[in-house]
Amino acid sequence: GRGGNAGGGDFGLGGGAGNGGRGGIEEAGKNGAGKPTILYKEKAKYTEEARQNKVQGTVVLTAVFTSEGRITSIKVVRGLPDGLTEKAIEAAQKIRFQPATKNGAPISVRANLEFTFNLY
């Protein structure tokens, strides 16, 4: 994707005048918006390079969970080196979820995702 977007297409956040509006995308769990229910989330896989360099930590991503059940606008809040950020994004794109609701209707919400990498 262009401009830091994962999955193709132009990067966009949505807009809206004033008050930090997000163009119809609510923050999960705020303003009456529910949170999406995660049905399936796989662990992000280690890269061989990260294993050799003993990299550990948490990748934090922010993404839009759409009312249609897709994950879009994935952005990195906090990344890790040696390909781990990319592995977290790959795992995030495979998440399956039930959309959040507001007043009984499915809505798109922005929420954070964390992927922790630990060497045992």
Side-chain angles (χ1 to χ4, degrees):
R2 288 185 287 266
N5 190 26
D10 287 317
F11 183 73
L13 271 184
N19 296 339
R22 289 187 184 261
I25 296 171
E26 299 273 7
E27 203 69 32
K30 300 217 173 98
N31 301 323
K35 293 184 177 177
T37 305
I38 305 288
L39 305 172
Y40 170 79
K41 177 182 177 185
E42 64 183 53
K43 279 178 73 82
K45 296 185 176 42
Y46 250 100
T47 61
E48 200 47 53
E49 191 180 5
R51 199 179 300 282
Q52 287 169 355
N53 293 329
K54 297 181 172 48
V55 177
Q56 297 191 90
T58 303
V59 172
V60 181
L61 305 173
T62 181
V64 173
F65 292 72
T66 71
S67 56
E68 293 86 39
R70 290 197 325 272
I71 292 195
T72 63
S73 303
I74 297 173
K75 286 196 331 218
V76 179
V77 176
R78 188 169 70 231
L80 288 172
D82 297 332
L84 294 182
T85 300
E86 291 74 12
K87 290 294 184 186
I89 290 169
E90 283 175 28
Q93 289 169 330
K94 295 177 185 167
I95 289 175
R96 297 287 163 255
F97 64 95
Q98 224 172 325
T101 58
K102 183 173 184 176
N103 302 327
I107 57 165
S108 297
V109 295
R110 177 170 288 284
N112 283 355
L113 288 165
E114 293 188 0
F115 292 90
T116 301
F117 293 88
N118 287 317
L119 288 169
Y120 297 105

